[in-house]
Amino acid sequence: MNFTIEPQQQELIDLAKTIAVNEIAPRALDMDKTGVMDEELLHILKSSGLTQTSVPKEYGGAGLDLLTVALIMEEIAKGCSGVATVCAANALASYPVLFAGSDDQKKELFDCLNQGGMACFALTEPGAGSDAGAVSCKAKKVEGGYILNGTKCFITNAPIADKFVVFANTKEGGGIRGLTIFLIDAKTSGVSIGKEEDKMGIRASATAEIIFDDCFVPESARVGKEGRGFLIAMQTLQASRPVVAAISVGIAEAAIEAAVAYSHQRKQFGAKIASFEMVQQMIADMVMKTEAAKVLTYRACVAQMNKEKKAAMYSAMSKCLASDTAMEVTTTAVQVMGGNGYSRENPVEKYMRDAKIMQIYEGTNQIQRLVIANEATFG
Ligand SMILES: Cc1cc2nc3c(=O)[nH]c(=O)nc-3n(C[C@H](O)[C@H](O)[C@H](O)COP(=O)(O)OP(=O)(O)OC[C@H]3O[C@@H](n4cnc5c(N)ncnc54)[C@H](O)[C@@H]3O)c2cc1C
């Protein structure tokens, strides 16, 4: 597979790598313990453009293509996938506005991101996870706009977001045909942040509920037409899943690096464990599977960029394979490191906890397999 990266885009990938090594990785274990994103680090990410990867050139951004965004997120994830999730959530929130928003809405969101603001994508609800059509957050049409009532849960960046991209139902009786998107300022009256999750992994990223209590939004907050939300959500996830795949690849690469380094340093039976064939086999499998996941991830980005017919299938395959690989590779990395791998003093047990969410968010891997099977069987 051939692809070229423009020099300007390569600069940003290199910058992400430098920041991951010098600023993210040294803070990663601390953020994992506290469950709080380091303020100074967030400032560095914002001022270096890493929270604005989705902003097009005409709105003052770098106009990066999807492959470049994926390569940036892979580098950040090597430092900490919780941090990559924070940055990627801004891109996830941008896609519905990019695909269906008005010029004013694009200005509103992208000016905010350019100025260091944060955003979130609010689809999931207590009763609506894999089944997006079950969204029960209501948007009732009133004069001049809509009144929203309902609760969103598990929303990445919710506590630090300035702009919410919210999916609510405008149809009596609900269902996917009523899903409608709204771009809402966090300071809007009737919006509040609910319970914050105490998570297994990606603990640098904040995940919380958003509660809408008789929240009035003007008609100008509606993104696209009423009832188009499901289609735009699917387009958004299709564009974004290769980024989850790239973060997964980054986690796997970090785990391999740690396991290989340890295998050279640890001695048992008078020899470095790197010399034992069974350890070598574990490392060979880790490297081989990660490389395969990486190639499929980049292929999915290219399919999406070229608007290929099977782009949705590639997107699902990349997310599914890369996250399953990250889970397997991080578990093996713990095995290579034995008891030390299980200790919180080393990062590999964190990689293992972080990898798990990659199989769940942006559509579980069961849902990805449904997408793949559907395209392979009936597409
Ligand atoms: C840390 C974190 C961050 C998140 N960030 C966001 C965010 O920013 N924005 C957002 O909107 N959401 C977010 N989510 C929500 C996430 O996308 C959902 O958790 C995910 O889509 C799964 O939904 P669920 O948890 O309700 O599981 P469920 O849908 O209840 O699924 C439970 C199990 O049933 C399986 N299952 C369900 N339906 C089927 C089916 N038809 N066939 C086969 N198996 C099926 C699933 O694969 C899973 O194994 C986040 C979640 C977490 C944990």
Side-chain angles (χ1 to χ4, degrees):
M1 182 184 27
N2 285 329
F3 53 79
T4 41
I5 302 285
E6 301 291 329
Q8 251 180 330
Q9 308 209 354
Q10 186 60 49
E11 268 175 34
L12 205 51
I13 298 166
D14 294 343
L15 178 66
K17 186 174 185 171
T18 306
I19 290 176
V21 171
N22 297 333
E23 306 290 350
I24 301 175
R27 292 172 166 96
L29 289 186
D30 219 38
M31 292 189 292
D32 180 55
K33 278 196 187 102
T34 59
V36 180
M37 166 63 106
D38 184 287
E39 286 270 342
E40 192 191 6
L41 176 60
L42 187 58
H43 179 73
I44 294 169
L45 297 168
K46 288 175 177 181
S47 55
S48 53
L50 296 177
T51 57
Q52 305 119 45
T53 54
S54 56
V55 181
K57 271 204 175 115
E58 57 271 38
Y59 292 94
L64 305 177
D65 58 41
L66 183 62
L67 180 60
T68 305
V69 175
L71 289 164
I72 287 171
M73 294 306 161
E74 182 184 329
E75 291 302 339
I76 298 176
K78 284 186 210 167
C80 174
S81 55
V83 173
T85 295
V86 170
C87 297
N90 271 4
L92 178 66
S94 299
Y95 293 136
V97 176
L98 263 178
F99 296 151
S102 65
D103 188 42
D104 281 349
Q105 288 166 339
K106 288 177 188 167
K107 276 197 189 110
E108 180 184 337
L109 179 62
F110 297 135
D111 281 355
C112 171
L113 296 182
N114 286 336
Q115 287 157 22
M118 300 298 290
C120 66
F121 171 93
L123 174 61
T124 304
E125 295 181 4
S130 301
D131 181 9
V135 160
S136 68
C137 180
K138 287 262 170 311
K140 187 171 174 232
K141 186 88 186 78
V142 292
E143 206 188 319
Y146 297 83
I147 291 181
L148 270 71
N149 277 293
T151 299
K152 296 289 170 183
C153 65
F154 287 120
I155 307 304
T156 301
N157 282 356
I160 59 167
D162 303 282
K163 301 285 174 190
F164 300 156
V165 174
V166 179
F167 292 74
N169 220 303
T170 43
K171 203 164 169 247
E172 254 334 293
I176 56 172
R177 292 211 175 88
L179 267 195
T180 306
I181 305 172
F182 297 91
L183 175 62
I184 302 177
D185 194 280
K187 292 196 195 84
T188 308
S189 169
V191 181
S192 60
I193 300 299
K195 181 185 67 154
E196 195 165 328
E197 298 298 333
D198 184 9
K199 304 193 298 294
M200 172 200 277
I202 58 162
R203 289 172 56 79
S205 76
T207 317
E209 289 177 337
I210 307 174
I211 298 158
F212 298 94
D213 183 10
D214 281 341
C215 166
F216 173 81
V217 294
E219 197 147 339
S220 59
R222 198 190 66 229
V223 178
K225 292 184 182 150
E226 274 191 22
R228 301 286 285 174
F230 184 76
L231 200 75
I232 298 163
M234 293 307 111
Q235 279 181 326
T236 294
L237 293 169
Q238 178 180 323
S240 172
R241 282 169 181 157
V243 175
V244 177
I247 296 174
S248 307
V249 169
I251 298 172
E253 287 176 321
I256 292 171
E257 198 180 312
V260 168
Y262 186 83
S263 72
H264 284 298
Q265 167 230 315
R266 176 73 173 167
K267 281 189 177 164
Q268 285 296 282
F269 302 98
K272 289 180 178 174
I273 62 164
S275 67
F276 300 144
E277 279 183 14
M278 270 192 260
V279 172
Q280 289 172 4
Q281 188 187 22
M282 285 195 276
I283 289 170
D285 282 350
M286 289 160 81
V287 172
M288 177 174 63
K289 289 177 181 178
T290 301
E291 201 56 32
K294 191 192 265 202
V295 170
L296 186 57
T297 298
Y298 299 169
R299 177 71 185 89
C301 291
V302 171
Q304 181 68 19
M305 284 153 56
N306 293 341
K307 298 187 171 63
E308 289 178 27
K309 193 174 160 282
K310 290 189 185 294
M313 184 168 94
Y314 274 109
S315 170
M317 290 195 301
S318 68
K319 193 264 184 193
C320 194
L321 181 75
S323 58
D324 283 352
T325 301
M327 196 67 246
E328 187 182 331
V329 165
T330 53
T331 308
T332 309
V334 171
Q335 192 69 20
V336 169
M337 293 179 65
N340 283 325
Y342 202 67
S343 165
R344 293 226 156 150
E345 279 177 25
N346 291 304
V348 290
E349 64 82 32
K350 171 188 180 293
Y351 298 151
M352 190 175 155
R353 286 184 283 110
D354 287 349
K356 188 62 211 167
I357 188 60
M358 303 296 146
Q359 297 177 304
I360 297 172
Y361 67 12
E362 297 203 20
T364 66
N365 282 3
Q366 285 70 39
I367 297 300
Q368 306 311 315
R369 286 182 166 89
L370 287 182
V371 173
I372 299 160
N374 197 41
E375 177 63 35
T377 315
F378 307 109

